[in-house]
Amino acid sequence: MTELNNIYNTIRQLASHEQAEHHQCYFKTGEGEYGAGDIFLGIRVPTIRNLYKQFKNTSFNTLTELLKSKYHEERQLALFILVLQCKNKKTDQITKKQIFELYLDNTKYINNWDLVDCSAEHIVGAYIFDKDKDILYQMAISDSLWERRISIMSTFYFIRKEKFEDTLKLSEILLQDKEDLIHKAVGWMLREIGNRNLAREQDFLRKHYKLMPRTMLRYAIEKFPKDLRQKYLKGLI
């Protein structure tokens, strides 16, 4: 507990009421919004990143407790440290499995888009890259917005390895999702595929673009030449 209290004391000294108010608005924490109930200390991400270097050797038990904090930045710090440990070449497979399982057991605390996006590919995607991927398909049909976002964002790791199949299959599952944050995530991942293999992205788009939510399509075609973007937006492909 001393280790945890040391982190609490360090991070809470950096809190800013003014910045916290900004974050509460930016991350949509009002009633009925996607981040409802999230509480911020008001600490900028670069500051949190400096802290994770300071606390990179924090014990697994302490990180588990930190991930359950009511404060967004403390959960974010826990995720940054877990990612750092996953990426450390000295971390063995047993520890990586423990981190993976901890992550999946606590998705209710990974409850905003920035928390998902900084961690899913490095913890989930990296671990299951050469393993069974059923968990992604289970999360893709979850009632939890954040689990659905984790499912698609985890595949960013695969995309970086030039493996696109799971991203494309999950994109089909999420094609008619009701949440804008899923539309953005799917469109972003499709765009990342296109950055590496434009033909694969365009093949997917030709089959599905007329059914896509507008935001998803706009994200997917953001890097296309202007005239080609307009053809997609006008349904002329």
Side-chain angles (χ1 to χ4, degrees), residues 4-5 7-13 39-41 43 48 51 62-63 65-81 115:
L4 183 61
N5 286 336
I7 294 174
Y8 285 156
N9 291 335
T10 301
I11 196 170
R12 292 178 189 181
Q13 290 177 15
I39 301 173
F40 287 81
L41 289 166
I43 305 172
I48 300 295
L51 286 179
T62 296
L63 290 173
E65 291 303 311
L66 191 63
L67 185 58
K68 298 177 182 179
S69 171
K70 69 178 181 179
Y71 293 113
H72 184 103
E73 291 92 342
E74 290 177 350
R75 301 195 304 280
Q76 186 174 54
L77 176 60
L79 291 168
F80 280 158
I81 296 171
L115 302 181

Side-chain angles (χ1 to χ4, degrees), residues 174-217:
L174 296 168
L175 203 62
Q176 294 302 314
D177 198 280
K178 302 300 183 184
E179 295 288 347
D180 188 62
L181 284 175
I182 301 300
H183 303 168
K184 292 177 179 178
V186 171
W188 176 11
M189 292 302 99
L190 291 173
R191 184 174 74 234
E192 291 295 337
I193 289 175
N195 288 342
R196 294 159 176 83
N197 190 323
L198 185 58
R200 292 296 298 277
E201 182 190 6
Q202 288 190 301
D203 182 59
F204 181 90
L205 289 177
R206 279 191 291 270
K207 296 175 184 176
H208 301 293
Y209 83 97
K210 290 185 178 180
L211 300 175
M212 281 183 175
R214 204 67 164 173
T215 298
M216 186 185 295
L217 177 59

Side-chain angles (χ1 to χ4, degrees), residues 23-229:
H23 285 164
Q24 297 285 154
C25 180
Y26 180 74
F27 286 98
K28 308 295 184 184
T29 62
E31 185 176 353
E33 295 182 306
Y34 64 73
D38 207 352
I39 301 173
F40 287 81
L41 289 166
I43 305 172
R44 297 179 184 275
V45 171
T47 302
I48 300 295
R49 290 193 181 278
N50 286 333
L51 286 179
Y52 85 69
K53 297 173 185 176
Q54 177 181 341
F55 294 112
K56 63 182 179 181
N57 295 320
T58 299
S59 70
F60 197 69
N61 287 339
T62 296
L63 290 173
T64 301
E65 291 303 311
L66 191 63
L67 185 58
K68 298 177 182 179
S69 171
K70 69 178 181 179
Y71 293 113
H72 184 103
E73 291 92 342
E74 290 177 350
R75 301 195 304 280
Q76 186 174 54
L77 176 60
L79 291 168
F80 280 158
I81 296 171
L82 289 168
V83 167
L84 191 66
Q85 291 182 357
C86 280
K87 295 172 76 172
N88 188 332
K89 294 181 180 179
K90 296 181 180 180
T91 302
D92 59 40
Q93 285 301 309
I94 293 174
T95 302
K96 289 181 179 181
K97 182 180 180 182
Q98 289 178 322
I99 294 172
F100 169 76
E101 291 174 346
L102 167 67
Y103 192 90
L104 294 184
D105 287 343
N106 291 280
T107 54
K108 67 180 180 181
Y109 302 109
I110 307 166
N111 59 349
N112 221 311
W113 59 264
D114 63 321
L115 302 181
V116 172
D117 296 359
C118 77
S119 60
E121 65 168 301
H122 306 293
I123 294 176
V124 179
Y127 181 74
I128 66 172
F129 177 66
D130 57 355
K131 301 177 181 65
D132 185 275
K133 298 175 178 61
D134 282 354
I135 186 61
L136 298 184
Y137 294 88
Q138 294 172 29
M139 287 194 290
I141 58 173
S142 169
D143 289 336
S144 165
L145 160 63
W146 307 118
E147 289 190 352
R148 300 199 305 277
R149 188 164 174 118
I150 288 169
S151 74
I152 190 67
M153 290 305 302
S154 294
T155 70
F156 204 169
Y157 187 88
F158 310 161
I159 293 170
R160 294 185 195 278
K161 300 290 186 180
E162 305 281 334
K163 302 295 184 182
F164 309 132
E165 288 305 319
D166 288 293
T167 305
L168 296 172
K169 290 177 182 178
L170 288 163
S171 294
E172 284 189 297
I173 293 171
L174 296 168
L175 203 62
Q176 294 302 314
D177 198 280
K178 302 300 183 184
E179 295 288 347
D180 188 62
L181 284 175
I182 301 300
H183 303 168
K184 292 177 179 178
V186 171
W188 176 11
M189 292 302 99
L190 291 173
R191 184 174 74 234
E192 291 295 337
I193 289 175
N195 288 342
R196 294 159 176 83
N197 190 323
L198 185 58
R200 292 296 298 277
E201 182 190 6
Q202 288 190 301
D203 182 59
F204 181 90
L205 289 177
R206 279 191 291 270
K207 296 175 184 176
H208 301 293
Y209 83 97
K210 290 185 178 180
L211 300 175
M212 281 183 175
R214 204 67 164 173
T215 298
M216 186 185 295
L217 177 59
R218 286 186 179 277
Y219 268 62
I221 64 175
E222 184 178 17
K223 298 293 181 67
F224 286 12
K226 183 178 179 180
D227 60 339
L228 184 57
R229 289 202 310 273

